[in-house]
Amino acid sequence: MANVALSVIIPCKNNKDRLIELIRRVSRTLEGTEVELIIIDMNSSDNSVIAALNELKNHNLRGCVIQSGGGTITSALNTGIYKSDGKYLTFVFMSRLYKNYMNEYLQTAEKEQADLVFAVPSFEGESARSVAGHLNTGPVPLKGTELLSELIHSHVYFDFTAVLLRRDYLLGHHIKFYEDCNFGYAEAFIYNVLLCDPKVSCADIRLERDEHELNVRDEGAFNASCYSRIAAMLKVFENAQLLHMENKGLLELFEYRKLPSVVMGVVDILKKENFSYSAIKKSLRQKGYDKLLKTSAQTPPSLRKRIFLWKTLPWYYRPL
């Protein structure tokens, strides 16, 4: 196997010119690093495959172009993981680009021997300060489940699409994207990564969005496929029950905070798309998702209020 430090996985469909420019910028950013570029083409119709192959060949860049046909983006990402040779890997989404972070991520991963690296996250609340203290500098390493709990509490936030992962960690724990999930797939993927308690490190960098990113509307967020986020999070919950059945606090957070929040998020999306409350209620009931709208002491008051209003007076409910 080639001695590759980093595999950069780029899913794409059409936008040939943007893809070529992205390949050039990534290769310039990582100049001097043993890197491979894995472009996963999802049935492009504009000669993106040929253009990308020529770009790699003409500039003597390590990498390949893989055609994944008309499958989902999650299928393309999984293909990239299994085809990669890098010690670490990262994903680059053309619709959500960031500037000059990969070198810092890679250096942090090597220094800390990390399984998961992300940029300086956003923190909210007093309890989040202890989380910040444990990232890299704390005497006791921060557990993945601890970070996951803070994410569910909304005390901590980082972009799930801008991370670096150790490839052997993913393969060793059989972690992959849910291929039937078109919306919320990055969130479910990172949650599963954290459930296996990786060595987590934070790169000393704040992400800055790149003006070259594509302004693409995620169609999955605006139609019935948004239900796939609920299905994916249910799978994550089942995984949490399997791996951490003794962690009642974490499981209760899933059951009474995360799952109800995801369901209400889908309700909000569909309401904003002018679906009637009766149609939404009917579809939730048919899928059994209405039963997930349970509350307890773990449910924040604002979410409890939204759930109560949706259940009792849905015609008065207004999305966030």
Side-chain angles (χ1 to χ4, degrees):
M1 183 175 71
N3 183 26
V4 180
L6 178 64
S7 297
V8 181
I9 300 169
I10 307 173
C12 66
K13 183 175 182 178
N14 299 321
N15 298 296
K16 175 180 64 177
D17 294 336
R18 295 284 187 93
L19 173 60
I20 299 308
E21 177 58 29
L22 178 59
I23 291 172
R24 292 173 182 173
R25 283 189 287 114
V26 170
S27 62
R28 286 196 299 266
T29 298
L30 294 168
E31 188 174 1
T33 300
E34 288 296 325
V35 60
E36 68 173 356
L37 303 176
I38 300 180
I39 294 92
I40 311 293
D41 182 78
M42 298 184 295
N43 207 25
S44 293
S45 58
D46 66 348
N47 294 322
S48 290
V49 172
I50 299 300
L53 284 170
N54 287 336
E55 184 67 22
L56 295 175
K57 179 180 179 181
N58 294 339
H59 293 85
N60 198 29
L61 301 174
R62 189 198 303 263
C64 61
V65 180
I66 300 170
Q67 292 179 281
S68 66
T72 62
I73 186 170
T74 46
S75 176
L77 293 170
N78 285 334
T79 299
I81 292 173
Y82 293 121
K83 293 292 185 179
S84 63
D85 284 330
K87 180 179 180 180
Y88 299 98
L89 58 83
T90 190
F91 309 100
V92 175
F93 298 87
M94 296 181 69
S95 60
R96 195 170 183 85
L97 298 177
Y98 291 97
K99 297 179 180 179
N100 303 327
Y101 66 94
M102 293 184 193
N103 279 314
E104 191 68 35
Y105 274 24
L106 189 57
Q107 291 171 16
T108 300
E110 291 285 11
K111 177 183 177 182
E112 303 292 336
Q113 292 298 293
D115 301 311
L116 169 65
V117 176
F118 49 86
V120 174
S122 301
F123 297 99
E124 292 184 7
E126 289 294 325
S127 65
R129 293 183 182 179
S130 63
V131 178
H134 283 304
L135 285 171
N136 293 4
T137 59
V140 180
L142 182 71
K143 290 184 178 181
T145 49
E146 293 172 334
L147 179 56
L148 182 52
S149 294
E150 296 300 328
L151 284 170
I152 296 174
H153 274 115
S154 299
H155 291 158
V156 177
Y157 172 79
F158 63 89
D159 195 324
F160 300 146
T161 66
V163 297
L164 181 142
L165 297 137
R166 188 166 62 85
R167 181 174 178 270
D168 283 350
Y169 175 83
L170 296 180
L171 298 182
H173 290 88
H174 308 288
I175 300 168
K176 63 179 183 178
F177 291 90
Y178 293 134
E179 296 199 358
D180 55 353
C181 179
N182 294 316
F183 181 48
Y185 53 85
E187 176 186 46
F189 177 77
I190 294 299
Y191 273 40
N192 279 327
V193 168
L194 293 174
L195 283 174
C196 294
D197 276 330
K199 171 68 185 300
V200 180
S201 290
C202 176
D204 188 17
I205 186 174
R206 292 194 179 273
L207 293 176
E208 182 182 355
R209 295 289 286 270
D210 194 318
E211 65 275 8
H212 293 94
E213 67 183 15
L214 291 174
N215 184 19
V216 179
R217 177 178 176 176
D218 184 356
E219 294 298 334
F222 296 95
N223 54 50
S225 71
C226 63
Y227 283 113
S228 67
R229 185 188 178 207
I230 303 175
M233 198 51 61
L234 270 173
K235 291 180 182 179
V236 175
F237 179 45
E238 292 170 0
N239 197 25
Q241 291 173 308
L242 179 65
L243 295 174
H244 301 285
M245 60 183 302
E246 80 293 342
N247 193 336
K248 302 300 182 184
L250 178 65
L251 298 183
E252 288 179 0
L253 275 179
F254 266 101
E255 187 171 7
Y256 297 108
R257 186 168 186 139
K258 185 59 184 180
L259 288 173
S261 175
V262 169
V263 174
M264 292 308 300
V266 169
V267 169
D268 286 355
I269 288 171
L270 296 176
K271 283 291 294 179
K272 290 176 181 178
E273 287 298 299
N274 296 319
F275 284 82
S276 67
Y277 74 83
S278 58
I280 299 172
K281 275 186 166 290
K282 181 180 179 180
S283 62
L284 287 175
R285 185 170 60 253
Q286 288 175 337
K287 297 175 184 295
Y289 295 156
D290 58 329
K291 297 177 182 177
L292 300 178
L293 293 175
K294 299 184 293 184
T295 61
S296 74
Q298 295 282 12
T299 313
S302 58
L303 178 57
R304 192 181 302 122
K305 180 179 178 181
R306 291 169 62 205
I307 292 172
F308 176 79
L309 186 60
W310 174 250
K311 283 185 171 181
T312 58
L313 299 168
W315 47 89
Y316 284 128
Y317 182 80
R318 297 293 181 271
L320 292 178

